[in-house]
Amino acid sequence: MATLIREVMTRGARTLAPADSVRDAARLMHELDVGAVLVCDGRRLQGMLTDRDIVLRVVSPGLAPEDTAIDQVMSPEVVWCFEYDEVAAVAARMQQARIRRLPVVDRAQQLVGIVTLGDLASRGEHGWAQEVLADVSEASQPAVPPDE
């Protein structure tokens, strides 16, 4: 019998509301020692804010984290899975999308948790984490300035 995501995911993911500030998100990331926060309106998934989003969309343009609402800079298009999806299928989705974490929803599409590479590595039976990580971490070529 195939392993389902609900058997390996992390339940009870902490979330923030779209109107919360980026500073609130950064503090929560620091407190939880994570690189992303799920953004929900109640239990309905609205998006995700990553540490990379904060750097590129807040710090780089010089926005004030305490005055910037999460929904102004979050990634609203989030790849997610159902809690009853098979681990193999979800690992393939993560590999194809080159992502390290996926929100997990129930049949009513309400957030119930998150599945990460760490979850796949520590509780998965196949070695999915190594396969996903190989694609997610594939080195990209740095931009090389033209010769002058």
Side-chain angles (χ1 to χ4, degrees), residues 13-36:
R14 299 262 306 269
T15 64
L16 290 173
D20 288 336
S21 75
V22 171
R23 175 169 278 164
D24 294 335
R27 286 180 178 152
L28 184 60
M29 287 179 192
H30 178 77
E31 175 188 328
L32 300 176
D33 192 25
V34 297

Side-chain angles (χ1 to χ4, degrees), residues 60-134:
S60 180
L63 299 177
E66 62 277 1
D67 296 328
T68 304
I70 292 171
D71 63 356
Q72 293 178 290
V73 294
M74 71 181 187
S75 298
E77 299 299 323
V78 178
V79 178
W80 50 269
C81 65
F82 287 108
E83 64 182 332
Y84 51 84
D85 287 345
E86 292 184 9
V87 169
V90 172
R93 190 175 310 150
M94 291 171 75
Q95 192 171 9
Q96 181 181 13
R98 298 183 68 186
I99 54 179
R100 299 171 185 264
R101 58 189 76 86
L102 230 83
V104 181
V105 299
D106 62 15
R107 283 186 166 82
Q109 295 190 0
Q110 301 291 305
L111 183 71
V112 294
I114 191 165
V115 63
T116 66
L117 282 177
D119 295 326
L120 295 180
S122 65
R123 292 177 240 154
E125 78 279 355
H126 174 71
W128 297 114
Q130 292 80 7
E131 292 179 28
V132 175
L133 185 59

